mmCIF file of all heavy atoms in Angstrom:
data_model
loop_
_atom_site.group_PDB
_atom_site.id
_atom_site.type_symbol
_atom_site.label_atom_id
_atom_site.label_comp_id
_atom_site.label_asym_id
_atom_site.label_seq_id
_atom_site.Cartn_x
_atom_site.Cartn_y
_atom_site.Cartn_z
ATOM 1 N N LEU D 15 -268.079 77.295 37.466
ATOM 2 C CA LEU D 15 -268.405 76.132 36.513
ATOM 3 C C LEU D 15 -269.928 76.196 36.081
ATOM 4 O O LEU D 15 -270.226 76.017 34.910
ATOM 5 C CB LEU D 15 -268.402 74.796 37.362
ATOM 6 C CG LEU D 15 -266.960 74.489 37.881
ATOM 7 C CD1 LEU D 15 -266.940 73.150 38.647
ATOM 8 C CD2 LEU D 15 -265.898 74.315 36.707
ATOM 9 N N PHE D 16 -270.912 76.657 36.997
ATOM 10 C CA PHE D 16 -272.255 76.838 36.574
ATOM 11 C C PHE D 16 -272.408 77.866 35.558
ATOM 12 O O PHE D 16 -273.146 77.642 34.496
ATOM 13 C CB PHE D 16 -273.012 77.154 37.914
ATOM 14 C CG PHE D 16 -274.517 77.504 37.532
ATOM 15 C CD1 PHE D 16 -275.408 76.463 37.260
ATOM 16 C CD2 PHE D 16 -274.957 78.779 37.510
ATOM 17 C CE1 PHE D 16 -276.730 76.704 36.940
ATOM 18 C CE2 PHE D 16 -276.308 78.957 37.114
ATOM 19 C CZ PHE D 16 -277.176 78.006 36.876
ATOM 20 N N ARG D 17 -271.772 79.061 35.832
ATOM 21 C CA ARG D 17 -271.950 80.139 34.856
ATOM 22 C C ARG D 17 -271.491 79.745 33.398
ATOM 23 O O ARG D 17 -272.012 80.094 32.419
ATOM 24 C CB ARG D 17 -271.287 81.386 35.317
ATOM 25 C CG ARG D 17 -271.937 82.146 36.441
ATOM 26 C CD ARG D 17 -271.418 83.480 36.710
ATOM 27 N NE ARG D 17 -269.915 83.424 37.012
ATOM 28 C CZ ARG D 17 -269.435 83.429 38.256
ATOM 29 N NH1 ARG D 17 -270.314 83.297 39.303
ATOM 30 N NH2 ARG D 17 -268.186 83.385 38.462
ATOM 31 N N PHE D 18 -270.319 79.014 33.462
ATOM 32 C CA PHE D 18 -269.711 78.567 32.173
ATOM 33 C C PHE D 18 -270.653 77.559 31.513
ATOM 34 O O PHE D 18 -270.897 77.636 30.332
ATOM 35 C CB PHE D 18 -268.272 78.045 32.417
ATOM 36 C CG PHE D 18 -267.533 77.732 31.248
ATOM 37 C CD1 PHE D 18 -267.447 78.606 30.167
ATOM 38 C CD2 PHE D 18 -266.817 76.568 31.056
ATOM 39 C CE1 PHE D 18 -266.644 78.387 28.987
ATOM 40 C CE2 PHE D 18 -266.078 76.221 29.846
ATOM 41 C CZ PHE D 18 -266.016 77.191 28.917
ATOM 42 N N ALA D 19 -271.173 76.649 32.213
ATOM 43 C CA ALA D 19 -271.994 75.638 31.677
ATOM 44 C C ALA D 19 -273.274 76.331 31.171
ATOM 45 O O ALA D 19 -273.804 76.049 30.030
ATOM 46 C CB ALA D 19 -272.376 74.531 32.692
ATOM 47 N N LEU D 20 -273.832 77.320 31.936
ATOM 48 C CA LEU D 20 -275.008 78.008 31.532
ATOM 49 C C LEU D 20 -274.748 78.753 30.188
ATOM 50 O O LEU D 20 -275.584 78.763 29.394
ATOM 51 C CB LEU D 20 -275.389 78.966 32.655
ATOM 52 C CG LEU D 20 -276.744 79.797 32.411
ATOM 53 C CD1 LEU D 20 -277.896 78.838 32.290
ATOM 54 C CD2 LEU D 20 -276.957 80.768 33.586
ATOM 55 N N ARG D 21 -273.588 79.301 30.149
ATOM 56 C CA ARG D 21 -273.330 80.023 28.818
ATOM 57 C C ARG D 21 -273.275 79.133 27.765
ATOM 58 O O ARG D 21 -273.704 79.556 26.569
ATOM 59 C CB ARG D 21 -271.883 80.621 29.068
ATOM 60 C CG ARG D 21 -271.441 81.402 27.810
ATOM 61 C CD ARG D 21 -271.840 82.864 28.159
ATOM 62 N NE ARG D 21 -271.598 83.795 27.038
ATOM 63 C CZ ARG D 21 -272.579 84.229 26.326
ATOM 64 N NH1 ARG D 21 -273.840 84.185 26.719
ATOM 65 N NH2 ARG D 21 -272.358 85.070 25.478
ATOM 66 N N MET D 22 -272.919 77.909 27.919
ATOM 67 C CA MET D 22 -272.807 76.970 26.849
ATOM 68 C C MET D 22 -274.087 76.279 26.527
ATOM 69 O O MET D 22 -274.493 76.201 25.304
ATOM 70 C CB MET D 22 -271.689 75.953 27.068
ATOM 71 C CG MET D 22 -270.281 76.559 27.146
ATOM 72 S SD MET D 22 -268.984 75.429 27.071
ATOM 73 C CE MET D 22 -269.065 74.806 25.442
ATOM 74 N N VAL D 23 -274.835 75.850 27.481
ATOM 75 C CA VAL D 23 -276.008 74.899 27.240
ATOM 76 C C VAL D 23 -277.297 75.802 27.237
ATOM 77 O O VAL D 23 -278.252 75.426 26.685
ATOM 78 C CB VAL D 23 -276.110 73.828 28.297
ATOM 79 C CG1 VAL D 23 -274.994 72.890 28.106
ATOM 80 C CG2 VAL D 23 -276.306 74.304 29.714
ATOM 81 N N GLY D 24 -277.337 77.013 27.891
ATOM 82 C CA GLY D 24 -278.459 77.905 27.723
ATOM 83 C C GLY D 24 -279.587 77.707 28.584
ATOM 84 O O GLY D 24 -280.593 78.377 28.553
ATOM 85 N N SER D 25 -279.508 76.731 29.526
ATOM 86 C CA SER D 25 -280.635 76.529 30.436
ATOM 87 C C SER D 25 -280.136 76.232 31.762
ATOM 88 O O SER D 25 -279.061 75.562 31.931
ATOM 89 C CB SER D 25 -281.590 75.470 29.930
ATOM 90 O OG SER D 25 -281.403 74.190 30.487
ATOM 91 N N VAL D 26 -280.737 76.711 32.818
ATOM 92 C CA VAL D 26 -280.421 76.587 34.128
ATOM 93 C C VAL D 26 -280.418 75.075 34.550
ATOM 94 O O VAL D 26 -279.382 74.619 35.180
ATOM 95 C CB VAL D 26 -281.271 77.319 35.179
ATOM 96 C CG1 VAL D 26 -280.987 77.062 36.557
ATOM 97 C CG2 VAL D 26 -281.152 78.737 34.942
ATOM 98 N N GLU D 27 -281.339 74.352 34.173
ATOM 99 C CA GLU D 27 -281.543 72.892 34.529
ATOM 100 C C GLU D 27 -280.320 72.123 33.973
ATOM 101 O O GLU D 27 -279.676 71.279 34.623
ATOM 102 C CB GLU D 27 -282.859 72.289 34.042
ATOM 103 C CG GLU D 27 -284.037 72.825 34.781
ATOM 104 C CD GLU D 27 -284.542 74.177 34.201
ATOM 105 O OE1 GLU D 27 -284.111 74.601 33.056
ATOM 106 O OE2 GLU D 27 -285.271 74.897 34.917
ATOM 107 N N GLU D 28 -280.101 72.291 32.637
ATOM 108 C CA GLU D 28 -278.880 71.609 31.912
ATOM 109 C C GLU D 28 -277.644 72.062 32.616
ATOM 110 O O GLU D 28 -276.775 71.115 32.728
ATOM 111 C CB GLU D 28 -278.853 71.850 30.544
ATOM 112 C CG GLU D 28 -280.006 71.088 29.809
ATOM 113 C CD GLU D 28 -279.893 71.146 28.352
ATOM 114 O OE1 GLU D 28 -278.908 70.651 27.738
ATOM 115 O OE2 GLU D 28 -280.749 71.792 27.640
ATOM 116 N N ALA D 29 -277.475 73.297 32.930
ATOM 117 C CA ALA D 29 -276.114 73.756 33.604
ATOM 118 C C ALA D 29 -276.006 73.057 34.908
ATOM 119 O O ALA D 29 -274.892 72.675 35.266
ATOM 120 C CB ALA D 29 -276.153 75.275 33.753
ATOM 121 N N GLU D 30 -277.102 72.994 35.625
ATOM 122 C CA GLU D 30 -276.917 72.166 36.954
ATOM 123 C C GLU D 30 -276.635 70.733 36.694
ATOM 124 O O GLU D 30 -275.812 70.083 37.452
ATOM 125 C CB GLU D 30 -278.358 72.338 37.673
ATOM 126 C CG GLU D 30 -278.611 73.689 38.200
ATOM 127 C CD GLU D 30 -279.962 73.889 38.788
ATOM 128 O OE1 GLU D 30 -280.949 73.015 38.494
ATOM 129 O OE2 GLU D 30 -280.261 74.850 39.423
ATOM 130 N N ASP D 31 -277.172 70.126 35.676
ATOM 131 C CA ASP D 31 -276.766 68.745 35.296
ATOM 132 C C ASP D 31 -275.377 68.574 35.023
ATOM 133 O O ASP D 31 -274.677 67.735 35.320
ATOM 134 C CB ASP D 31 -277.609 68.149 34.171
ATOM 135 C CG ASP D 31 -279.085 68.007 34.497
ATOM 136 O OD1 ASP D 31 -279.475 68.055 35.730
ATOM 137 O OD2 ASP D 31 -279.975 67.858 33.559
ATOM 138 N N VAL D 32 -274.870 69.599 34.244
ATOM 139 C CA VAL D 32 -273.460 69.592 33.809
ATOM 140 C C VAL D 32 -272.540 69.621 35.136
ATOM 141 O O VAL D 32 -271.658 68.832 35.278
ATOM 142 C CB VAL D 32 -273.117 70.707 32.792
ATOM 143 C CG1 VAL D 32 -271.599 70.846 32.633
ATOM 144 C CG2 VAL D 32 -273.761 70.470 31.473
ATOM 145 N N VAL D 33 -272.862 70.525 35.924
ATOM 146 C CA VAL D 33 -272.052 70.655 37.245
ATOM 147 C C VAL D 33 -272.081 69.446 38.023
ATOM 148 O O VAL D 33 -271.188 68.993 38.578
ATOM 149 C CB VAL D 33 -272.416 71.944 38.032
ATOM 150 C CG1 VAL D 33 -271.685 72.047 39.303
ATOM 151 C CG2 VAL D 33 -272.143 73.214 37.222
ATOM 152 N N SER D 65 -270.543 69.985 28.646
ATOM 153 C CA SER D 65 -271.536 70.955 28.088
ATOM 154 C C SER D 65 -271.786 70.612 26.548
ATOM 155 O O SER D 65 -272.791 70.594 25.982
ATOM 156 C CB SER D 65 -271.139 72.300 28.253
ATOM 157 O OG SER D 65 -271.206 72.658 29.639
ATOM 158 N N HIS D 68 -273.821 67.611 26.048
ATOM 159 C CA HIS D 68 -275.102 67.842 26.289
ATOM 160 C C HIS D 68 -275.702 68.529 25.031
ATOM 161 O O HIS D 68 -276.778 68.164 24.633
ATOM 162 C CB HIS D 68 -275.390 68.668 27.505
ATOM 163 C CG HIS D 68 -275.549 68.046 28.768
ATOM 164 N ND1 HIS D 68 -276.685 67.889 29.472
ATOM 165 C CD2 HIS D 68 -274.562 67.507 29.529
ATOM 166 C CE1 HIS D 68 -276.556 67.216 30.536
ATOM 167 N NE2 HIS D 68 -275.160 66.900 30.602
ATOM 168 N N LEU D 69 -275.054 69.452 24.432
ATOM 169 C CA LEU D 69 -275.587 70.128 23.254
ATOM 170 C C LEU D 69 -275.656 69.169 22.128
ATOM 171 O O LEU D 69 -276.664 69.182 21.307
ATOM 172 C CB LEU D 69 -274.664 71.346 22.909
ATOM 173 C CG LEU D 69 -274.686 72.472 23.853
ATOM 174 C CD1 LEU D 69 -273.635 73.607 23.495
ATOM 175 C CD2 LEU D 69 -276.127 73.188 23.834
ATOM 176 N N LYS D 72 -278.650 66.704 22.512
ATOM 177 C CA LYS D 72 -279.890 67.335 22.521
ATOM 178 C C LYS D 72 -280.201 67.992 21.147
ATOM 179 O O LYS D 72 -281.310 68.269 20.879
ATOM 180 C CB LYS D 72 -280.067 68.464 23.561
ATOM 181 C CG LYS D 72 -279.933 67.972 24.991
ATOM 182 C CD LYS D 72 -281.271 67.268 25.417
ATOM 183 C CE LYS D 72 -281.106 66.917 26.846
ATOM 184 N NZ LYS D 72 -282.032 66.130 27.332
ATOM 185 N N ARG D 74 -279.416 70.885 19.888
ATOM 186 C CA ARG D 74 -280.063 72.192 20.104
ATOM 187 C C ARG D 74 -278.941 73.312 20.160
ATOM 188 O O ARG D 74 -277.799 73.006 20.522
ATOM 189 C CB ARG D 74 -280.958 72.239 21.253
ATOM 190 C CG ARG D 74 -280.334 71.929 22.605
ATOM 191 C CD ARG D 74 -281.229 71.884 23.758
ATOM 192 N NE ARG D 74 -281.615 73.100 24.127
ATOM 193 C CZ ARG D 74 -281.042 73.918 24.959
ATOM 194 N NH1 ARG D 74 -279.907 73.552 25.582
ATOM 195 N NH2 ARG D 74 -281.501 75.092 25.349
ATOM 196 N N ARG D 75 -279.367 74.425 19.982
ATOM 197 C CA ARG D 75 -278.416 75.623 20.078
ATOM 198 C C ARG D 75 -278.576 76.379 21.344
ATOM 199 O O ARG D 75 -279.643 76.293 21.959
ATOM 200 C CB ARG D 75 -278.642 76.559 18.926
ATOM 201 C CG ARG D 75 -278.267 75.890 17.544
ATOM 202 C CD ARG D 75 -278.320 76.898 16.459
ATOM 203 N NE ARG D 75 -277.605 78.160 16.701
ATOM 204 C CZ ARG D 75 -276.315 78.385 16.536
ATOM 205 N NH1 ARG D 75 -275.472 77.354 16.050
ATOM 206 N NH2 ARG D 75 -275.793 79.616 16.723
ATOM 207 N N THR D 76 -277.691 77.091 21.748
ATOM 208 C CA THR D 76 -277.837 77.940 22.951
ATOM 209 C C THR D 76 -278.887 78.991 22.826
ATOM 210 O O THR D 76 -278.926 79.681 21.760
ATOM 211 C CB THR D 76 -276.451 78.675 23.271
ATOM 212 O OG1 THR D 76 -275.475 77.674 23.400
ATOM 213 C CG2 THR D 76 -276.581 79.489 24.444
ATOM 214 N N GLU D 77 -279.732 79.035 23.818
ATOM 215 C CA GLU D 77 -280.991 79.968 23.747
ATOM 216 C C GLU D 77 -280.637 81.264 24.434
ATOM 217 O O GLU D 77 -281.275 82.287 24.117
ATOM 218 C CB GLU D 77 -282.200 79.215 24.290
ATOM 219 C CG GLU D 77 -282.550 78.026 23.562
ATOM 220 C CD GLU D 77 -283.626 77.299 24.362
ATOM 221 O OE1 GLU D 77 -284.065 77.682 25.417
ATOM 222 O OE2 GLU D 77 -284.110 76.155 23.865
ATOM 223 N N GLY D 78 -279.673 81.278 25.353
ATOM 224 C CA GLY D 78 -279.486 82.523 26.056
ATOM 225 C C GLY D 78 -279.443 82.352 27.552
ATOM 226 O O GLY D 78 -279.571 81.265 27.991
ATOM 227 N N LEU D 79 -279.330 83.396 28.300
ATOM 228 C CA LEU D 79 -279.106 83.311 29.712
ATOM 229 C C LEU D 79 -280.248 84.032 30.459
ATOM 230 O O LEU D 79 -279.997 84.603 31.503
ATOM 231 C CB LEU D 79 -277.735 83.947 30.108
ATOM 232 C CG LEU D 79 -276.538 83.344 29.537
ATOM 233 C CD1 LEU D 79 -275.320 84.079 29.811
ATOM 234 C CD2 LEU D 79 -276.287 81.868 30.083
ATOM 235 N N ASP D 80 -281.479 84.046 29.919
ATOM 236 C CA ASP D 80 -282.500 84.732 30.518
ATOM 237 C C ASP D 80 -282.667 84.412 31.979
ATOM 238 O O ASP D 80 -282.748 85.344 32.812
ATOM 239 C CB ASP D 80 -283.834 84.555 29.821
ATOM 240 C CG ASP D 80 -283.832 85.192 28.481
ATOM 241 O OD1 ASP D 80 -283.024 86.185 28.203
ATOM 242 O OD2 ASP D 80 -284.546 84.770 27.571
ATOM 243 N N GLU D 81 -282.695 83.145 32.344
ATOM 244 C CA GLU D 81 -282.861 82.744 33.733
ATOM 245 C C GLU D 81 -281.628 83.218 34.540
ATOM 246 O O GLU D 81 -281.783 83.538 35.705
ATOM 247 C CB GLU D 81 -283.123 81.259 33.795
ATOM 248 C CG GLU D 81 -284.535 80.853 33.263
ATOM 249 C CD GLU D 81 -284.788 79.443 33.489
ATOM 250 O OE1 GLU D 81 -284.643 78.921 34.576
ATOM 251 O OE2 GLU D 81 -285.079 78.732 32.401
ATOM 252 N N GLY D 82 -280.475 83.046 33.942
ATOM 253 C CA GLY D 82 -279.264 83.443 34.547
ATOM 254 C C GLY D 82 -279.194 84.911 34.927
ATOM 255 O O GLY D 82 -278.778 85.356 35.927
ATOM 256 N N VAL D 83 -279.740 85.710 33.968
ATOM 257 C CA VAL D 83 -279.843 87.155 34.087
ATOM 258 C C VAL D 83 -280.726 87.475 35.343
ATOM 259 O O VAL D 83 -280.330 88.245 36.146
ATOM 260 C CB VAL D 83 -280.365 87.820 32.853
ATOM 261 C CG1 VAL D 83 -280.666 89.328 33.127
ATOM 262 C CG2 VAL D 83 -279.416 87.676 31.734
ATOM 263 N N GLN D 85 -281.225 85.679 37.904
ATOM 264 C CA GLN D 85 -280.626 85.243 39.140
ATOM 265 C C GLN D 85 -279.526 86.270 39.541
ATOM 266 O O GLN D 85 -279.312 86.428 40.747
ATOM 267 C CB GLN D 85 -279.956 83.848 38.894
ATOM 268 C CG GLN D 85 -281.008 82.779 38.843
ATOM 269 C CD GLN D 85 -280.333 81.394 38.689
ATOM 270 O OE1 GLN D 85 -279.126 81.355 38.609
ATOM 271 N NE2 GLN D 85 -281.085 80.467 38.539
ATOM 272 N N GLN D 107 -275.247 89.793 25.161
ATOM 273 C CA GLN D 107 -275.290 88.244 25.207
ATOM 274 C C GLN D 107 -275.523 87.750 23.780
ATOM 275 O O GLN D 107 -274.949 86.760 23.421
ATOM 276 C CB GLN D 107 -276.437 87.954 26.042
ATOM 277 C CG GLN D 107 -276.877 86.542 26.018
ATOM 278 C CD GLN D 107 -278.138 86.222 26.848
ATOM 279 O OE1 GLN D 107 -278.384 86.977 27.751
ATOM 280 N NE2 GLN D 107 -278.867 85.182 26.397
ATOM 281 N N ASN D 111 -273.157 85.267 21.693
ATOM 282 C CA ASN D 111 -273.699 84.088 21.127
ATOM 283 C C ASN D 111 -273.451 83.931 19.567
ATOM 284 O O ASN D 111 -273.220 82.745 19.066
ATOM 285 C CB ASN D 111 -275.171 83.921 21.402
ATOM 286 C CG ASN D 111 -275.503 83.557 22.781
ATOM 287 O OD1 ASN D 111 -274.583 83.093 23.522
ATOM 288 N ND2 ASN D 111 -276.732 83.808 23.195
#
Side-chain angles (χ1 to χ4, degrees):
L15 298 177
F16 175 77
R17 286 189 305 267
F18 189 47
L20 181 63
R21 181 94 187 115
M22 293 191 71
V23 298
S25 94
V26 171
E27 293 82 17
E28 284 190 65
E30 289 170 346
D31 290 346
V32 168
V33 174
S65 296
H68 272 254
L69 290 172
K72 299 285 185 192
R74 58 185 286 275
R75 294 187 48 87
T76 301
E77 297 170 0
L79 297 173
D80 292 336
E81 290 183 54
V83 170
Q85 291 178 358
Q107 169 190 330
N111 286 342

